[in-house]
Amino acid sequence: MSLKQTLCVYDLIDSASVRGEDIVALFQGFPQINVTSKTVKDLKGQSDFVRIHIPGTQGKSQGKGAPTLGIIGRLGGIGARPSRIGVVSDADGAIAAVAAGLKLAEMHEKGDKLAGDVIITTHICPNAPTRPHTPVDFMDSPLEDATMNQHEAIPEADAILSVDTTKGNRLLNHKGYALSPTVKSGYILPVSEDLSRLMEWSSGQKAVTFPLSIQDITPYGNGLHHINSILQPAVSTSAPVVGVAICSDTVVPGCSTGASHEVDIAAAVKFMIEVAKAFTENQCKFYDVEQYALLTSLYGDMTHLQTAGGCAAKKPLSDS
């Protein structure tokens, strides 16, 4: 179960003065878990980037070969002060990522160590900006898009789960969480059968997925509409990326407070823990390697979709 860890992290970040170092302090009782925080500033603003590294018994950090799973908590900010008081809906990605790290740290301490490494990144910003938009206001990023991608990236990862609030749309009419198709090097691949199975096992319900367009997997700033930033990690890696969208039956602004549902976040955390177990044991595939090889041999390289393209940079029409 992961509800306790979810509530713990939510309570910690429910503060106007919370910083990345508070997340580091949360892991002080786990000496084998490496947790760091770095304050990053650019011309737009600043945020604290947190990185949690849970070593595996057969992982790369031990000089061995078990695969590494990356988990990225994607969001604009955990708060929108001073225009909003309290934790915003957009914080779900950060809560889920840190809660997953806390649960894995507790497992590690109790002797349930995974085979491969798990590396988790997110950022902590209690005063991110908002941006007017129809049908609901959006959270904006406290940093430039390129800065965000640079500091949340996990180059060691062999596969990545990107967890993000995805409630400001009419595509996902489901309360809980949903999975995207796998995205790799500019291609939208089929939904992973292994991930769907793990979702059904951990939730006790039928797997729920959501559609992607090519626009959704291109970098922010090109003027194209994106469902939100959930697949932005895919623009800066060759590893397969799957979005874990925490969603709702209704359209909810990312900047709304009182809109986070601890049970839904905890369910997503529990799923990610199961993926971490299976993937680092080589028991879970994000995509079919042979089919991907055939696809690229037939249709060529699509990595140009990971670039800004030929258009002048514009603000994305999307939630953070």
Side-chain angles (χ1 to χ4, degrees), residues 76-142:
I78 62 172
R81 299 172 182 88
S83 63
R84 304 286 195 282
I85 296 175
V87 175
V88 296
S89 172
D90 209 42
D92 290 2
I95 297 169
V98 177
L102 185 58
K103 177 62 177 179
L104 287 168
E106 292 175 355
M107 290 168 54
H108 192 280
E109 187 76 8
K110 294 176 181 178
D112 281 335
K113 301 177 181 180
L114 274 58
D117 298 348
V118 178
I119 301 174
I120 298 166
T121 63
T122 192
H123 74 102
I124 303 296
C125 179
N127 52 3
T130 61
R131 183 157 44 88
H133 186 70
T134 302
V136 293
D137 288 347
F138 286 158
M139 286 294 293
D140 202 355
S141 170

Short mmCIF file of all heavy atoms in Angstrom, two decimals, residues 76-142:
data_model
loop_
_atom_site.label_atom_id
_atom_site.label_comp_id
_atom_site.label_asym_id
_atom_site.label_seq_id
_atom_site.Cartn_x
_atom_site.Cartn_y
_atom_site.Cartn_z
N GLY A 76 3.74 22.09 -13.28
CA GLY A 76 4.16 23.48 -13.33
C GLY A 76 4.62 23.91 -11.95
O GLY A 76 5.73 24.42 -11.78
N GLY A 77 3.79 23.70 -10.94
CA GLY A 77 4.16 24.03 -9.57
C GLY A 77 3.23 23.37 -8.60
O GLY A 77 2.11 22.97 -8.95
N ILE A 78 3.67 23.24 -7.35
CA ILE A 78 2.81 22.63 -6.31
C ILE A 78 1.86 23.66 -5.71
O ILE A 78 0.90 23.31 -5.03
CB ILE A 78 3.64 21.98 -5.20
CG1 ILE A 78 4.50 23.04 -4.48
CG2 ILE A 78 4.50 20.85 -5.75
CD1 ILE A 78 5.19 22.50 -3.25
N GLY A 79 2.13 24.94 -5.98
CA GLY A 79 1.28 26.01 -5.51
C GLY A 79 1.30 27.17 -6.49
O GLY A 79 2.21 27.29 -7.32
N ALA A 80 0.28 28.03 -6.41
CA ALA A 80 0.16 29.18 -7.31
C ALA A 80 0.03 30.47 -6.50
O ALA A 80 -0.71 31.37 -6.88
CB ALA A 80 -1.03 29.00 -8.24
N ARG A 81 0.75 30.50 -5.38
CA ARG A 81 0.69 31.70 -4.53
C ARG A 81 1.32 32.90 -5.26
O ARG A 81 2.25 32.73 -6.02
CB ARG A 81 1.42 31.40 -3.22
CG ARG A 81 0.80 30.26 -2.44
CD ARG A 81 1.66 29.86 -1.25
NE ARG A 81 1.08 28.73 -0.52
CZ ARG A 81 1.31 27.46 -0.81
NH1 ARG A 81 2.11 27.16 -1.83
NH2 ARG A 81 0.73 26.51 -0.11
N PRO A 82 0.79 34.13 -5.08
CA PRO A 82 -0.24 34.50 -4.10
C PRO A 82 -1.67 34.43 -4.62
O PRO A 82 -2.60 34.72 -3.88
CB PRO A 82 0.14 35.94 -3.78
CG PRO A 82 0.69 36.45 -5.07
CD PRO A 82 1.42 35.30 -5.70
N SER A 83 -1.86 34.06 -5.90
CA SER A 83 -3.23 34.07 -6.44
C SER A 83 -4.08 32.93 -5.91
O SER A 83 -5.31 33.03 -5.91
CB SER A 83 -3.18 34.02 -7.97
OG SER A 83 -2.59 32.82 -8.43
N ARG A 84 -3.46 31.83 -5.47
CA ARG A 84 -4.18 30.70 -4.88
C ARG A 84 -3.51 30.31 -3.57
O ARG A 84 -2.28 30.31 -3.49
CB ARG A 84 -4.18 29.48 -5.82
CG ARG A 84 -4.72 29.71 -7.21
CD ARG A 84 -6.23 29.85 -7.23
NE ARG A 84 -6.76 29.71 -8.57
CZ ARG A 84 -6.74 30.66 -9.50
NH1 ARG A 84 -6.17 31.82 -9.24
NH2 ARG A 84 -7.27 30.46 -10.70
N ILE A 85 -4.28 29.97 -2.57
CA ILE A 85 -3.74 29.54 -1.29
C ILE A 85 -3.85 28.03 -1.18
O ILE A 85 -4.94 27.48 -1.33
CB ILE A 85 -4.49 30.21 -0.11
CG1 ILE A 85 -4.29 31.73 -0.14
CG2 ILE A 85 -4.02 29.64 1.22
CD1 ILE A 85 -5.09 32.46 0.91
N GLY A 86 -2.74 27.36 -0.92
CA GLY A 86 -2.75 25.92 -0.71
C GLY A 86 -2.18 25.14 -1.89
O GLY A 86 -1.70 25.69 -2.88
N VAL A 87 -2.24 23.82 -1.76
CA VAL A 87 -1.72 22.91 -2.78
C VAL A 87 -2.68 22.87 -3.97
O VAL A 87 -3.89 22.71 -3.79
CB VAL A 87 -1.54 21.50 -2.20
CG1 VAL A 87 -1.13 20.51 -3.28
CG2 VAL A 87 -0.53 21.51 -1.07
N VAL A 88 -2.15 23.01 -5.16
CA VAL A 88 -2.99 22.99 -6.36
C VAL A 88 -3.05 21.58 -6.96
O VAL A 88 -2.22 20.72 -6.66
CB VAL A 88 -2.47 23.99 -7.42
CG1 VAL A 88 -2.55 25.41 -6.92
CG2 VAL A 88 -1.04 23.64 -7.85
N SER A 89 -4.02 21.38 -7.82
CA SER A 89 -4.19 20.09 -8.48
C SER A 89 -2.93 19.67 -9.22
O SER A 89 -2.59 18.48 -9.28
CB SER A 89 -5.36 20.17 -9.46
OG SER A 89 -5.46 19.02 -10.26
N ASP A 90 -2.22 20.64 -9.77
CA ASP A 90 -1.02 20.35 -10.55
C ASP A 90 0.08 19.68 -9.73
O ASP A 90 1.03 19.13 -10.29
CB ASP A 90 -0.49 21.66 -11.15
CG ASP A 90 0.24 21.44 -12.46
OD1 ASP A 90 -0.25 20.64 -13.28
OD2 ASP A 90 1.28 22.07 -12.68
N ALA A 91 -0.03 19.74 -8.40
CA ALA A 91 0.99 19.16 -7.52
C ALA A 91 0.98 17.64 -7.52
O ALA A 91 1.92 17.02 -7.01
CB ALA A 91 0.79 19.67 -6.09
N ASP A 92 -0.06 17.03 -8.06
CA ASP A 92 -0.19 15.57 -7.97
C ASP A 92 1.03 14.83 -8.49
O ASP A 92 1.43 13.80 -7.94
CB ASP A 92 -1.42 15.09 -8.76
CG ASP A 92 -2.74 15.50 -8.11
OD1 ASP A 92 -2.69 16.20 -7.07
OD2 ASP A 92 -3.80 15.15 -8.65
N GLY A 93 1.63 15.33 -9.57
CA GLY A 93 2.80 14.66 -10.14
C GLY A 93 3.97 14.63 -9.18
O GLY A 93 4.64 13.60 -9.02
N ALA A 94 4.22 15.76 -8.50
CA ALA A 94 5.31 15.82 -7.53
C ALA A 94 5.02 14.93 -6.33
O ALA A 94 5.90 14.22 -5.84
CB ALA A 94 5.54 17.26 -7.08
N ILE A 95 3.78 14.97 -5.84
CA ILE A 95 3.41 14.14 -4.69
C ILE A 95 3.61 12.66 -5.02
O ILE A 95 4.19 11.90 -4.24
CB ILE A 95 1.94 14.40 -4.28
CG1 ILE A 95 1.76 15.85 -3.82
CG2 ILE A 95 1.51 13.43 -3.18
CD1 ILE A 95 0.31 16.25 -3.65
N ALA A 96 3.12 12.25 -6.20
CA ALA A 96 3.22 10.84 -6.59
C ALA A 96 4.68 10.40 -6.72
O ALA A 96 5.05 9.31 -6.27
CB ALA A 96 2.48 10.61 -7.90
N ALA A 97 5.51 11.24 -7.32
CA ALA A 97 6.91 10.87 -7.53
C ALA A 97 7.64 10.73 -6.20
O ALA A 97 8.35 9.74 -5.97
CB ALA A 97 7.59 11.92 -8.40
N VAL A 98 7.48 11.71 -5.30
CA VAL A 98 8.17 11.65 -4.02
C VAL A 98 7.62 10.51 -3.16
O VAL A 98 8.38 9.81 -2.47
CB VAL A 98 8.07 13.00 -3.28
CG1 VAL A 98 8.72 12.91 -1.90
CG2 VAL A 98 8.73 14.10 -4.10
N ALA A 99 6.30 10.30 -3.20
CA ALA A 99 5.70 9.20 -2.43
C ALA A 99 6.21 7.85 -2.91
O ALA A 99 6.45 6.93 -2.11
CB ALA A 99 4.18 9.26 -2.52
N ALA A 100 6.41 7.71 -4.24
CA ALA A 100 6.97 6.47 -4.76
C ALA A 100 8.39 6.28 -4.24
O ALA A 100 8.79 5.17 -3.87
CB ALA A 100 6.97 6.50 -6.29
N GLY A 101 9.16 7.36 -4.21
CA GLY A 101 10.51 7.27 -3.67
C GLY A 101 10.52 6.89 -2.20
O GLY A 101 11.34 6.09 -1.76
N LEU A 102 9.58 7.46 -1.43
CA LEU A 102 9.51 7.16 0.00
C LEU A 102 9.13 5.70 0.23
O LEU A 102 9.72 5.02 1.09
CB LEU A 102 8.49 8.09 0.66
CG LEU A 102 8.37 7.99 2.18
CD1 LEU A 102 9.69 8.25 2.87
CD2 LEU A 102 7.29 8.97 2.67
N LYS A 103 8.18 5.20 -0.54
CA LYS A 103 7.78 3.80 -0.41
C LYS A 103 8.93 2.87 -0.78
O LYS A 103 9.20 1.88 -0.07
CB LYS A 103 6.56 3.52 -1.30
CG LYS A 103 6.09 2.06 -1.30
CD LYS A 103 5.63 1.60 0.08
CE LYS A 103 5.11 0.17 0.03
NZ LYS A 103 4.68 -0.30 1.37
N LEU A 104 9.64 3.16 -1.85
CA LEU A 104 10.78 2.33 -2.25
C LEU A 104 11.90 2.39 -1.23
O LEU A 104 12.58 1.38 -0.98
CB LEU A 104 11.29 2.77 -3.63
CG LEU A 104 10.40 2.41 -4.82
CD1 LEU A 104 10.85 3.16 -6.07
CD2 LEU A 104 10.39 0.91 -5.07
N ALA A 105 12.10 3.56 -0.63
CA ALA A 105 13.13 3.68 0.42
C ALA A 105 12.77 2.83 1.63
O ALA A 105 13.64 2.16 2.22
CB ALA A 105 13.28 5.14 0.82
N GLU A 106 11.51 2.83 2.02
CA GLU A 106 11.07 2.02 3.15
C GLU A 106 11.21 0.53 2.83
O GLU A 106 11.62 -0.26 3.69
CB GLU A 106 9.62 2.36 3.51
CG GLU A 106 9.48 3.77 4.08
CD GLU A 106 8.03 4.15 4.34
OE1 GLU A 106 7.13 3.36 4.00
OE2 GLU A 106 7.80 5.25 4.88
N MET A 107 10.86 0.14 1.61
CA MET A 107 11.04 -1.25 1.19
C MET A 107 12.51 -1.64 1.26
O MET A 107 12.86 -2.72 1.75
CB MET A 107 10.50 -1.44 -0.23
CG MET A 107 8.99 -1.35 -0.36
SD MET A 107 8.44 -1.23 -2.09
CE MET A 107 9.25 -2.64 -2.83
N HIS A 108 13.37 -0.77 0.75
CA HIS A 108 14.81 -1.03 0.74
C HIS A 108 15.33 -1.22 2.16
O HIS A 108 16.11 -2.15 2.44
CB HIS A 108 15.52 0.14 0.06
CG HIS A 108 16.95 -0.11 -0.28
ND1 HIS A 108 17.97 -0.02 0.65
CD2 HIS A 108 17.55 -0.45 -1.46
CE1 HIS A 108 19.12 -0.28 0.07
NE2 HIS A 108 18.90 -0.54 -1.22
N GLU A 109 14.88 -0.37 3.07
CA GLU A 109 15.31 -0.44 4.47
C GLU A 109 14.86 -1.73 5.13
O GLU A 109 15.56 -2.28 6.00
CB GLU A 109 14.74 0.76 5.23
CG GLU A 109 15.24 0.91 6.65
CD GLU A 109 16.66 1.45 6.72
OE1 GLU A 109 17.21 1.86 5.68
OE2 GLU A 109 17.21 1.47 7.84
N LYS A 110 13.71 -2.26 4.72
CA LYS A 110 13.15 -3.48 5.31
C LYS A 110 13.64 -4.75 4.62
O LYS A 110 13.21 -5.85 4.98
CB LYS A 110 11.62 -3.43 5.26
CG LYS A 110 11.02 -2.32 6.13
CD LYS A 110 9.51 -2.27 5.97
CE LYS A 110 8.89 -1.17 6.81
NZ LYS A 110 7.42 -1.08 6.63
N GLY A 111 14.52 -4.61 3.63
CA GLY A 111 15.10 -5.77 2.98
C GLY A 111 14.51 -6.12 1.64
O GLY A 111 15.01 -7.02 0.96
N ASP A 112 13.44 -5.43 1.22
CA ASP A 112 12.85 -5.67 -0.10
C ASP A 112 13.51 -4.76 -1.12
O ASP A 112 12.96 -3.72 -1.53
CB ASP A 112 11.35 -5.43 -0.07
CG ASP A 112 10.59 -6.61 0.53
OD1 ASP A 112 11.11 -7.73 0.49
OD2 ASP A 112 9.47 -6.39 1.05
N LYS A 113 14.73 -5.15 -1.54
CA LYS A 113 15.51 -4.34 -2.46
C LYS A 113 15.26 -4.78 -3.89
O LYS A 113 15.23 -5.97 -4.19
CB LYS A 113 17.00 -4.47 -2.12
CG LYS A 113 17.33 -4.02 -0.70
CD LYS A 113 18.80 -4.23 -0.37
CE LYS A 113 19.09 -3.81 1.07
NZ LYS A 113 20.53 -3.99 1.42
N LEU A 114 15.08 -3.82 -4.77
CA LEU A 114 14.85 -4.12 -6.18
C LEU A 114 16.15 -4.53 -6.85
O LEU A 114 17.24 -4.23 -6.36
CB LEU A 114 14.25 -2.91 -6.88
CG LEU A 114 12.72 -2.76 -6.82
CD1 LEU A 114 12.21 -2.69 -5.40
CD2 LEU A 114 12.26 -1.55 -7.61
N ALA A 115 16.03 -5.19 -7.99
CA ALA A 115 17.22 -5.63 -8.72
C ALA A 115 17.95 -4.45 -9.34
O ALA A 115 19.18 -4.32 -9.22
CB ALA A 115 16.82 -6.62 -9.80
N GLY A 116 17.21 -3.57 -10.02
CA GLY A 116 17.83 -2.42 -10.69
C GLY A 116 17.61 -1.13 -9.94
O GLY A 116 16.79 -1.05 -9.01
N ASP A 117 18.33 -0.10 -10.35
CA ASP A 117 18.18 1.22 -9.73
C ASP A 117 16.85 1.85 -10.15
O ASP A 117 16.34 1.61 -11.26
CB ASP A 117 19.31 2.14 -10.18
CG ASP A 117 20.68 1.65 -9.75
OD1 ASP A 117 20.76 0.72 -8.93
OD2 ASP A 117 21.68 2.22 -10.24
N VAL A 118 16.31 2.69 -9.28
CA VAL A 118 15.18 3.56 -9.61
C VAL A 118 15.61 4.98 -9.30
O VAL A 118 16.08 5.27 -8.20
CB VAL A 118 13.91 3.19 -8.82
CG1 VAL A 118 12.78 4.15 -9.17
CG2 VAL A 118 13.49 1.76 -9.10
N ILE A 119 15.46 5.87 -10.29
CA ILE A 119 15.83 7.26 -10.12
C ILE A 119 14.60 8.13 -10.34
O ILE A 119 13.90 7.98 -11.36
CB ILE A 119 16.96 7.67 -11.08
CG1 ILE A 119 18.20 6.79 -10.85
CG2 ILE A 119 17.31 9.15 -10.92
CD1 ILE A 119 19.31 7.02 -11.85
N ILE A 120 14.32 9.00 -9.39
CA ILE A 120 13.11 9.81 -9.39
C ILE A 120 13.50 11.28 -9.39
O ILE A 120 14.37 11.69 -8.61
CB ILE A 120 12.25 9.48 -8.16
CG1 ILE A 120 11.81 8.01 -8.20
CG2 ILE A 120 11.03 10.40 -8.08
CD1 ILE A 120 11.24 7.50 -6.90
N THR A 121 12.87 12.07 -10.24
CA THR A 121 13.09 13.51 -10.23
C THR A 121 11.76 14.25 -10.25
O THR A 121 10.77 13.76 -10.81
CB THR A 121 13.94 13.99 -11.43
OG1 THR A 121 13.25 13.70 -12.65
CG2 THR A 121 15.30 13.33 -11.45
N THR A 122 11.75 15.40 -9.63
CA THR A 122 10.61 16.32 -9.71
C THR A 122 11.12 17.67 -9.25
O THR A 122 12.30 17.84 -8.97
CB THR A 122 9.42 15.83 -8.87
OG1 THR A 122 8.25 16.61 -9.20
CG2 THR A 122 9.69 15.94 -7.38
N HIS A 123 10.22 18.65 -9.19
CA HIS A 123 10.66 19.96 -8.69
C HIS A 123 9.62 20.53 -7.73
O HIS A 123 8.43 20.18 -7.79
CB HIS A 123 10.98 20.92 -9.83
CG HIS A 123 9.78 21.47 -10.55
ND1 HIS A 123 9.30 22.75 -10.34
CD2 HIS A 123 8.96 20.91 -11.47
CE1 HIS A 123 8.24 22.96 -11.11
NE2 HIS A 123 8.02 21.86 -11.80
N ILE A 124 10.08 21.39 -6.83
CA ILE A 124 9.25 21.95 -5.78
C ILE A 124 9.19 23.45 -5.93
O ILE A 124 10.21 24.15 -5.76
CB ILE A 124 9.81 21.58 -4.38
CG1 ILE A 124 9.91 20.06 -4.22
CG2 ILE A 124 8.96 22.19 -3.27
CD1 ILE A 124 8.59 19.32 -4.27
N CYS A 125 8.02 23.98 -6.29
CA CYS A 125 7.81 25.42 -6.43
C CYS A 125 6.43 25.77 -5.88
O CYS A 125 5.42 25.45 -6.52
CB CYS A 125 7.93 25.84 -7.89
SG CYS A 125 7.67 27.62 -8.13
N PRO A 126 6.35 26.40 -4.70
CA PRO A 126 5.04 26.72 -4.11
C PRO A 126 4.41 27.99 -4.65
O PRO A 126 3.28 28.34 -4.25
CB PRO A 126 5.38 26.88 -2.62
CG PRO A 126 6.79 27.34 -2.60
CD PRO A 126 7.46 26.71 -3.78
N ASN A 127 5.07 28.68 -5.56
CA ASN A 127 4.52 29.95 -6.07
C ASN A 127 4.69 30.08 -7.58
O ASN A 127 5.15 31.11 -8.09
CB ASN A 127 5.17 31.13 -5.36
CG ASN A 127 6.70 31.06 -5.38
OD1 ASN A 127 7.27 30.16 -6.00
ND2 ASN A 127 7.34 32.00 -4.74
N ALA A 128 4.30 29.05 -8.30
CA ALA A 128 4.38 29.07 -9.77
C ALA A 128 3.29 29.97 -10.35
O ALA A 128 2.24 30.16 -9.73
CB ALA A 128 4.23 27.65 -10.31
N PRO A 129 3.51 30.50 -11.53
CA PRO A 129 2.50 31.39 -12.15
C PRO A 129 1.34 30.61 -12.75
O PRO A 129 1.44 29.41 -13.00
CB PRO A 129 3.30 32.12 -13.24
CG PRO A 129 4.38 31.15 -13.61
CD PRO A 129 4.75 30.43 -12.34
N THR A 130 0.24 31.30 -12.99
CA THR A 130 -0.92 30.73 -13.69
C THR A 130 -1.11 31.48 -15.00
O THR A 130 -0.55 32.57 -15.21
CB THR A 130 -2.19 30.82 -12.86
OG1 THR A 130 -2.49 32.21 -12.59
CG2 THR A 130 -2.04 30.08 -11.54
N ARG A 131 -1.90 30.89 -15.88
CA ARG A 131 -2.12 31.50 -17.18
C ARG A 131 -3.58 31.32 -17.58
O ARG A 131 -4.09 30.19 -17.57
CB ARG A 131 -1.20 30.85 -18.21
CG ARG A 131 -1.27 31.43 -19.60
CD ARG A 131 0.02 31.13 -20.37
NE ARG A 131 0.48 29.76 -20.20
CZ ARG A 131 0.07 28.76 -20.97
NH1 ARG A 131 -0.82 28.95 -21.90
NH2 ARG A 131 0.57 27.55 -20.79
N PRO A 132 -4.29 32.40 -17.94
CA PRO A 132 -5.69 32.27 -18.35
C PRO A 132 -5.83 31.39 -19.59
O PRO A 132 -5.00 31.47 -20.51
CB PRO A 132 -6.11 33.71 -18.65
CG PRO A 132 -5.14 34.56 -17.92
CD PRO A 132 -3.84 33.79 -17.93
N HIS A 133 -6.84 30.55 -19.60
CA HIS A 133 -7.09 29.69 -20.76
C HIS A 133 -8.51 29.16 -20.66
O HIS A 133 -9.09 29.07 -19.57
CB HIS A 133 -6.10 28.53 -20.80
CG HIS A 133 -6.21 27.68 -22.04
ND1 HIS A 133 -5.85 28.13 -23.29
CD2 HIS A 133 -6.67 26.42 -22.23
CE1 HIS A 133 -6.07 27.19 -24.18
NE2 HIS A 133 -6.57 26.14 -23.55
N THR A 134 -9.11 28.81 -21.79
CA THR A 134 -10.44 28.22 -21.86
C THR A 134 -10.33 26.76 -22.23
O THR A 134 -9.56 26.42 -23.12
CB THR A 134 -11.29 28.97 -22.91
OG1 THR A 134 -11.35 30.36 -22.56
CG2 THR A 134 -12.71 28.41 -22.98
N PRO A 135 -11.03 25.81 -21.55
CA PRO A 135 -12.12 26.03 -20.61
C PRO A 135 -11.68 26.25 -19.16
O PRO A 135 -12.50 26.63 -18.34
CB PRO A 135 -12.91 24.71 -20.71
CG PRO A 135 -11.87 23.69 -21.02
CD PRO A 135 -10.88 24.38 -21.90
N VAL A 136 -10.40 26.00 -18.85
CA VAL A 136 -9.96 26.21 -17.46
C VAL A 136 -8.60 26.89 -17.47
O VAL A 136 -7.82 26.75 -18.42
CB VAL A 136 -9.86 24.87 -16.69
CG1 VAL A 136 -11.23 24.25 -16.49
CG2 VAL A 136 -8.92 23.89 -17.39
N ASP A 137 -8.31 27.63 -16.39
CA ASP A 137 -7.00 28.26 -16.26
C ASP A 137 -5.92 27.19 -16.13
O ASP A 137 -6.15 26.11 -15.58
CB ASP A 137 -6.95 29.16 -15.04
CG ASP A 137 -7.77 30.43 -15.22
OD1 ASP A 137 -8.15 30.72 -16.37
OD2 ASP A 137 -8.03 31.11 -14.22
N PHE A 138 -4.74 27.51 -16.61
CA PHE A 138 -3.61 26.59 -16.58
C PHE A 138 -2.57 27.03 -15.57
O PHE A 138 -2.41 28.22 -15.29
CB PHE A 138 -2.94 26.52 -17.96
CG PHE A 138 -3.71 25.76 -19.00
CD1 PHE A 138 -3.47 25.99 -20.34
CD2 PHE A 138 -4.67 24.83 -18.65
CE1 PHE A 138 -4.16 25.29 -21.31
CE2 PHE A 138 -5.36 24.12 -19.60
CZ PHE A 138 -5.11 24.35 -20.94
N MET A 139 -1.83 26.06 -15.06
CA MET A 139 -0.59 26.36 -14.36
C MET A 139 0.49 26.59 -15.40
O MET A 139 0.55 25.90 -16.42
CB MET A 139 -0.18 25.20 -13.45
CG MET A 139 -1.03 25.06 -12.20
SD MET A 139 -0.84 26.41 -11.05
CE MET A 139 0.86 26.19 -10.52
N ASP A 140 1.34 27.55 -15.14
CA ASP A 140 2.48 27.79 -16.01
C ASP A 140 3.73 27.29 -15.29
O ASP A 140 3.72 27.04 -14.08
CB ASP A 140 2.59 29.29 -16.31
CG ASP A 140 3.38 29.57 -17.58
OD1 ASP A 140 3.92 28.61 -18.17
OD2 ASP A 140 3.47 30.74 -17.97
N SER A 141 4.81 27.16 -16.02
CA SER A 141 6.07 26.70 -15.43
C SER A 141 6.82 27.88 -14.82
O SER A 141 6.82 28.98 -15.38
CB SER A 141 6.92 26.03 -16.50
OG SER A 141 8.22 25.78 -16.00
N PRO A 142 7.50 27.67 -13.68
CA PRO A 142 8.31 28.74 -13.11
C PRO A 142 9.63 28.95 -13.84
O PRO A 142 10.35 29.91 -13.56
CB PRO A 142 8.57 28.25 -11.68
CG PRO A 142 8.55 26.76 -11.80
CD PRO A 142 7.51 26.46 -12.84
#
